[in-house]
Amino acid sequence: MTTQRTLTLTQARRLAVACQGLADPPPVDDAPDADRIMAVARNLGCLQIDPIRAVERTQYLVLWSRLGAYDMALLDQLLYDDGHLFEGWAHCASIVLTEDYPVHATWMRHNATRPSDSNAWIEANPRLHRHILERLYADGPLPARAFDDLTETPWRSNGWNNNRNVGMMLDFLWRRGEVAVAQRQGRTRHWHLADAVLPAGAERQPLPEAEAVYQAAQTALRALGVATPQQIKEHFTRKRYPKLPAILARLEAEGRIVPVQVVGDDGLSLPGDWFVHVERLPLLERICNGGWTPRTTLLSPFDNLIADRARTEQLFDFHYRMEIYTPKAKRQYGYYVLPILHGERLIGRVNPIMDRKRERLLVHNVYAEPHAPDDPEVGRAVMAAIKDLADFLDAKGVEMAESGAHDVPDGWRAAL
């Protein structure tokens, strides 16, 4: 019987950070930006989409944290022109790999066939359903405003989407795999039939459910580095892992994943069953043998490393919540706050906004965590990350608000 491997919390954090592509300096090789973007997309499995542009949209920030400066237009080219990526439903609305379409198609088929309020509403509005498909066939791609509202039974909910009939129909058909996003102009999506958006030669057939879970669980675990079954469920195809225990048992029996223990700083094992994918074992060996180069960067609020807030608290001792919808007077940190990653620790937060009229990155506040090192070098590294972000956004400079070094160690103040 082989002895189960034990990881310290530091080793587990470093493995998680390295598997996310957030260790070592950003690549400076001669690979084209498009290839580097695709490498990150394959490594992560998905990039969450969010329209908020207080700094920059999250899909672009997630890539910047890993690649440094790159041509943002290339992500749109890979999505809407080349067809190597497409907009699907992973964590939530996300950019995903076209080569993974069969995995996502499994859940599209599930969405189309399961009893649900959305499917019942689609069936109650056949004229609108048919109108959208016919218009797209004849004239697509089209924005939502191009369609007539032919609903017979309006969509009603308790939320913001009440009576958004055309928009809701398009969203539901997208999740069923009938339509897809062919292009974006700003925040406006232009829709087309899914078959027209997918490139020629793309595999379109959904997988059997067990095979989809088998593949998705491995994608999630490779991206996470080390994870429990619950954490796998919250990653990649979030909450779509039926019969996951049986799939993990199969993967372990096949030697594709190995169980490990993670021991906290108090010497006690973290609860739950933890696994590492065998493809990540060479990286783990390198980390355990001292092959670790820390990096300091800023993370999008929706970055894959911190997307699972419970995991973020357990592994990194970092409590993070979005305060966008919190009244201003009740916010603790600010409207759009970027965590600071320093090595394998999350050591603070930056509250910036991009002033596009003045071409300045304005930093309202910088906050440090209680465990953050009081070290001038760390302060300089944090400021360098802020300046790198400003350069990426083509800002002409960084402006620190008068209260911009809020609760930071004395060692940081000279740099900030």
Side-chain angles (χ1 to χ4, degrees), residues 363-385:
V363 177
H364 293 296
N365 274 305
V366 178
Y367 302 88
E369 291 293 286
H371 59 74
D374 185 357
D375 185 336
E377 186 176 345
V378 175
R380 289 191 291 270
V382 171
M383 193 64 206

Short mmCIF file of all heavy atoms in Angstrom, two decimals, residues 363-385:
data_model
loop_
_atom_site.label_atom_id
_atom_site.label_comp_id
_atom_site.label_asym_id
_atom_site.label_seq_id
_atom_site.Cartn_x
_atom_site.Cartn_y
_atom_site.Cartn_z
N VAL A 363 -6.20 55.42 -8.13
CA VAL A 363 -6.24 54.44 -7.06
C VAL A 363 -6.84 55.11 -5.83
O VAL A 363 -6.24 56.01 -5.23
CB VAL A 363 -4.84 53.90 -6.74
CG1 VAL A 363 -4.89 52.92 -5.56
CG2 VAL A 363 -4.25 53.21 -7.97
N HIS A 364 -8.07 54.70 -5.49
CA HIS A 364 -8.74 55.28 -4.33
C HIS A 364 -8.08 54.85 -3.02
O HIS A 364 -7.89 55.67 -2.12
CB HIS A 364 -10.22 54.86 -4.32
CG HIS A 364 -11.01 55.44 -5.44
ND1 HIS A 364 -11.23 56.78 -5.59
CD2 HIS A 364 -11.65 54.84 -6.49
CE1 HIS A 364 -11.98 57.01 -6.65
NE2 HIS A 364 -12.24 55.84 -7.23
N ASN A 365 -7.77 53.56 -2.93
CA ASN A 365 -7.20 53.03 -1.69
C ASN A 365 -6.39 51.78 -1.95
O ASN A 365 -6.66 51.04 -2.92
CB ASN A 365 -8.30 52.69 -0.67
CG ASN A 365 -8.72 53.88 0.16
OD1 ASN A 365 -7.89 54.53 0.79
ND2 ASN A 365 -10.01 54.19 0.14
N VAL A 366 -5.43 51.54 -1.10
CA VAL A 366 -4.71 50.27 -1.03
C VAL A 366 -4.86 49.77 0.40
O VAL A 366 -4.64 50.53 1.36
CB VAL A 366 -3.22 50.44 -1.38
CG1 VAL A 366 -2.49 49.09 -1.24
CG2 VAL A 366 -3.05 50.99 -2.79
N TYR A 367 -5.26 48.52 0.54
CA TYR A 367 -5.45 47.90 1.85
C TYR A 367 -4.53 46.70 1.98
O TYR A 367 -4.34 45.96 1.02
CB TYR A 367 -6.89 47.42 2.03
CG TYR A 367 -7.95 48.49 1.88
CD1 TYR A 367 -8.48 48.78 0.62
CD2 TYR A 367 -8.43 49.17 2.98
CE1 TYR A 367 -9.47 49.74 0.47
CE2 TYR A 367 -9.43 50.14 2.84
CZ TYR A 367 -9.94 50.42 1.59
OH TYR A 367 -10.92 51.37 1.44
N ALA A 368 -3.97 46.48 3.14
CA ALA A 368 -3.13 45.31 3.40
C ALA A 368 -3.85 44.37 4.35
O ALA A 368 -4.59 44.79 5.25
CB ALA A 368 -1.80 45.74 4.01
N GLU A 369 -3.64 43.08 4.14
CA GLU A 369 -4.14 42.08 5.06
C GLU A 369 -3.29 42.08 6.34
O GLU A 369 -2.12 42.50 6.32
CB GLU A 369 -4.09 40.69 4.41
CG GLU A 369 -5.07 40.50 3.27
CD GLU A 369 -6.51 40.53 3.75
OE1 GLU A 369 -6.96 39.54 4.37
OE2 GLU A 369 -7.19 41.54 3.50
N PRO A 370 -3.85 41.60 7.45
CA PRO A 370 -3.08 41.59 8.71
C PRO A 370 -1.76 40.84 8.61
O PRO A 370 -0.79 41.21 9.28
CB PRO A 370 -4.04 40.90 9.69
CG PRO A 370 -5.40 41.17 9.15
CD PRO A 370 -5.24 41.16 7.66
N HIS A 371 -1.69 39.80 7.77
CA HIS A 371 -0.46 39.00 7.68
C HIS A 371 0.51 39.55 6.64
O HIS A 371 1.57 38.97 6.40
CB HIS A 371 -0.79 37.55 7.33
CG HIS A 371 -1.55 37.40 6.03
ND1 HIS A 371 -0.95 37.56 4.80
CD2 HIS A 371 -2.86 37.11 5.78
CE1 HIS A 371 -1.85 37.37 3.83
NE2 HIS A 371 -3.02 37.10 4.41
N ALA A 372 0.18 40.67 5.96
CA ALA A 372 1.03 41.18 4.89
C ALA A 372 2.40 41.57 5.44
O ALA A 372 2.50 42.17 6.52
CB ALA A 372 0.38 42.39 4.24
N PRO A 373 3.46 41.25 4.74
CA PRO A 373 4.81 41.58 5.23
C PRO A 373 5.06 43.08 5.24
O PRO A 373 4.72 43.78 4.29
CB PRO A 373 5.73 40.86 4.24
CG PRO A 373 4.91 40.66 3.02
CD PRO A 373 3.49 40.50 3.47
N ASP A 374 5.66 43.58 6.32
CA ASP A 374 6.01 44.99 6.44
C ASP A 374 7.41 45.17 5.86
O ASP A 374 8.41 45.19 6.57
CB ASP A 374 5.97 45.41 7.91
CG ASP A 374 6.22 46.90 8.09
OD1 ASP A 374 6.48 47.59 7.07
OD2 ASP A 374 6.17 47.39 9.23
N ASP A 375 7.45 45.29 4.56
CA ASP A 375 8.73 45.22 3.86
C ASP A 375 8.70 46.22 2.71
O ASP A 375 7.82 46.17 1.85
CB ASP A 375 8.92 43.80 3.33
CG ASP A 375 10.26 43.58 2.67
OD1 ASP A 375 10.87 44.55 2.21
OD2 ASP A 375 10.69 42.41 2.61
N PRO A 376 9.65 47.17 2.65
CA PRO A 376 9.66 48.14 1.55
C PRO A 376 9.69 47.48 0.17
O PRO A 376 9.09 48.00 -0.78
CB PRO A 376 10.94 48.95 1.80
CG PRO A 376 11.19 48.81 3.26
CD PRO A 376 10.72 47.44 3.62
N GLU A 377 10.36 46.34 0.05
CA GLU A 377 10.43 45.66 -1.24
C GLU A 377 9.05 45.20 -1.69
O GLU A 377 8.72 45.25 -2.88
CB GLU A 377 11.39 44.47 -1.16
CG GLU A 377 11.61 43.80 -2.49
CD GLU A 377 12.62 42.67 -2.44
OE1 GLU A 377 13.35 42.59 -1.42
OE2 GLU A 377 12.69 41.89 -3.38
N VAL A 378 8.23 44.75 -0.73
CA VAL A 378 6.86 44.34 -1.07
C VAL A 378 6.05 45.55 -1.51
O VAL A 378 5.28 45.49 -2.49
CB VAL A 378 6.20 43.62 0.11
CG1 VAL A 378 4.74 43.29 -0.21
CG2 VAL A 378 6.96 42.35 0.45
N GLY A 379 6.20 46.67 -0.81
CA GLY A 379 5.52 47.89 -1.22
C GLY A 379 5.88 48.29 -2.64
O GLY A 379 5.01 48.69 -3.43
N ARG A 380 7.17 48.18 -2.97
CA ARG A 380 7.59 48.52 -4.34
C ARG A 380 7.01 47.54 -5.35
O ARG A 380 6.65 47.93 -6.48
CB ARG A 380 9.12 48.53 -4.41
CG ARG A 380 9.75 49.71 -3.68
CD ARG A 380 11.23 49.84 -4.00
NE ARG A 380 12.02 48.74 -3.42
CZ ARG A 380 12.56 48.77 -2.21
NH1 ARG A 380 12.40 49.85 -1.43
NH2 ARG A 380 13.28 47.76 -1.77
N ALA A 381 6.91 46.26 -4.97
CA ALA A 381 6.33 45.26 -5.88
C ALA A 381 4.85 45.54 -6.12
O ALA A 381 4.35 45.38 -7.25
CB ALA A 381 6.53 43.86 -5.30
N VAL A 382 4.13 45.95 -5.08
CA VAL A 382 2.71 46.28 -5.24
C VAL A 382 2.56 47.49 -6.17
O VAL A 382 1.72 47.50 -7.08
CB VAL A 382 2.06 46.56 -3.86
CG1 VAL A 382 0.65 47.11 -4.04
CG2 VAL A 382 2.04 45.28 -3.01
N MET A 383 3.38 48.52 -5.94
CA MET A 383 3.29 49.71 -6.80
C MET A 383 3.68 49.37 -8.23
O MET A 383 3.07 49.89 -9.19
CB MET A 383 4.20 50.81 -6.26
CG MET A 383 3.93 52.16 -6.91
SD MET A 383 2.26 52.76 -6.54
CE MET A 383 1.96 53.83 -7.95
N ALA A 384 4.65 48.49 -8.42
CA ALA A 384 5.03 48.08 -9.77
C ALA A 384 3.88 47.38 -10.47
O ALA A 384 3.65 47.58 -11.68
CB ALA A 384 6.26 47.17 -9.71
N ALA A 385 3.13 46.56 -9.73
CA ALA A 385 1.97 45.88 -10.33
C ALA A 385 0.91 46.89 -10.74
O ALA A 385 0.27 46.75 -11.79
CB ALA A 385 1.40 44.86 -9.35
#
